[in-house]
Amino acid sequence: MSSYIDQLRQSMEEEKRLYELAQAQQTAALNQQKDPIKEAAAKLRGDTYTNARLSAIGNNEVLAQKGLAGGVYQEPRSGYSETSRIRQDTALRGSLNAADLEEAKKIAEIEAKIKDLGYDTGKQIAASTSRWNEKIAAAVQEEELRRLQREREDQLRRQQQEREDQLRREQQEREDRIRKEEQAFQRELANAAAASSRSSAPSYAQAGGGSTARKAGLTAADKKLYSRSLIDRVDSYAQSLGVGRAGTYSQIEQIQRQAWAKALEDLRAQFGGSDFAAIAGLAGAPSDLY
């Protein structure tokens, strides 16, 4: 996987971490608000209890003066004093319960804020992750396309190299074959040239006080031998023109045509008419060059 995609994933994780860090900080700040609420509630309960005790003592003293109650910690002496104590105890319990409920309410509000904060942070992280995943998916697709393009280019280069290597091998095989035949052919060509010289000796005829000479036409065997000589000359010219260094098939074809043109020019200077055309045809020369 490319470093760019890795960077995208690291950025996604970093953004997620920042959201989580912000959530943790805000949660800690909300939790810190609980302590003052608990302290205030505890103080309220203490003050309520103290006030209730003082009120009970004061009421008991008033009733004691009337002969309706005894000491603060003694049993009630009348139904009125007992009812008064019950009423005071109920009021105390009610005040303490109210303080507890108020504390619980405020704590619950803070817990609700913490819960909402977690929900909101989760939504933010989900949205952020979705955006980053889209970027990562696009980057992965682009990288895959580049990989396929590279593979295609590599394949084309290999195919081109294989074609060029094949052309070089074929050219080398042709050159090797020609070199192997050249020595034997030179001896055969020398013998044929001698025989052709004897068979095409000039004849003379008297006509009108003058004389004319006529070279006899080549035999079929001679034409075949000269065609093979022409092919060798074409190969020699192709080597001198750099066919072995050609990089493409079209370059090889161009050099071969140049070699044929030069060899045919030499042949035309030596032979003319039907002999020239026959030798060129037997050698397989391009028809548009002769």
Side-chain angles (χ1 to χ4, degrees):
M1 195 61 65
S2 71
S3 59
Y4 174 64
I5 295 176
D6 291 337
Q7 290 175 0
L8 290 178
R9 288 178 173 167
Q10 290 175 2
S11 298
M12 179 178 67
E13 292 299 325
E14 179 65 18
E15 188 167 308
K16 178 182 178 182
R17 189 187 67 80
L18 291 175
Y19 280 125
E20 292 174 343
L21 178 61
Q23 178 190 3
Q25 291 174 344
Q26 295 179 49
T27 300
L30 289 171
N31 281 326
Q32 288 177 357
Q33 297 177 13
K34 294 180 181 179
D35 292 337
I37 293 173
K38 292 179 180 179
E39 291 174 359
K43 185 176 182 303
L44 177 60
R45 284 191 292 269
D47 292 344
T48 300
Y49 183 80
T50 299
N51 292 335
R53 178 177 175 80
L54 293 174
S55 178
I57 293 173
N59 289 335
N60 189 77
E61 289 177 351
V62 172
L63 292 176
Q65 291 175 359
K66 295 179 181 181
L68 298 175
V72 176
Y73 300 103
Q74 295 178 352
E75 293 295 330
R77 293 184 178 181
S78 64
Y80 186 83
S81 63
E82 183 176 4
T83 301
S84 177
R85 288 186 179 185
I86 292 173
R87 185 182 301 113
Q88 290 173 358
D89 183 64
T90 302
L92 174 61
R93 292 178 181 276
S95 296
L96 294 176
N97 185 57
D100 291 340
L101 290 176
E102 182 66 19
E103 178 187 12
K105 177 183 177 182
K106 292 180 179 180
I107 295 296
E109 290 175 353
I110 292 176
E111 292 294 341
K113 290 180 181 180
I114 293 175
K115 183 176 180 181
D116 291 340
L117 178 61
Y119 177 71
D120 292 340
T121 302
K123 288 197 300 183
Q124 291 173 334
I125 291 175
S128 172
T129 302
S130 178
R131 289 194 303 271
W132 283 109
N133 282 333
E134 289 177 0
K135 293 181 181 180
I136 292 172
V140 169
Q141 184 178 12
E142 184 177 351
E143 184 176 88
E144 179 65 14
L145 290 175
R146 286 198 297 269
R147 184 188 66 79
L148 293 175
Q149 180 66 23
R150 288 194 300 268
E151 289 182 355
R152 176 60 177 167
E153 292 173 354
D154 292 342
Q155 181 182 13
L156 291 176
R157 280 195 294 270
R158 287 194 301 270
Q159 291 176 350
Q160 178 67 19
Q161 187 63 43
E162 289 173 358
R163 286 194 295 267
E164 293 175 1
D165 292 343
Q166 179 64 24
L167 289 174
R168 291 192 185 94
R169 285 193 299 270
E170 292 176 356
Q171 181 64 24
Q172 186 63 42
E173 290 174 358
R174 179 180 176 85
E175 293 171 0
D176 292 342
R177 177 175 54 80
I178 291 172
R179 280 195 295 270
K180 289 177 181 178
E181 295 177 353
E182 186 172 358
Q183 292 180 347
F185 176 70
Q186 290 297 331
R187 290 192 298 269
E188 184 179 355
L189 183 62
N191 295 333
S196 175
S197 177
R198 291 191 297 271
S199 64
S200 59
S203 60
Y204 298 90
Q206 300 295 327
S211 67
T212 60
R214 181 180 63 84
K215 184 178 181 179
L218 296 176
T219 65
D222 293 337
K223 293 175 182 178
K224 182 176 180 180
L225 291 174
Y226 279 116
S227 68
R228 295 176 63 182
S229 178
L230 176 62
I231 293 173
D232 290 338
R233 182 166 296 185
V234 169
D235 290 335
S236 177
Y237 279 138
Q239 289 298 321
S240 65
L241 291 171
V243 69
R245 297 186 300 274
T248 63
Y249 184 73
S250 61
Q251 291 176 344
I252 293 175
E253 284 187 332
Q254 183 179 2
I255 292 174
Q256 290 285 8
R257 285 185 61 83
Q258 293 174 359
W260 273 109
K262 289 175 64 67
L264 288 173
E265 183 179 352
D266 295 343
L267 182 66
R268 191 186 299 275
Q270 185 177 2
F271 299 101
S274 60
D275 287 341
F276 167 76
I279 294 172
L282 287 173
S287 60
D288 60 327
L289 296 181
Y290 69 94

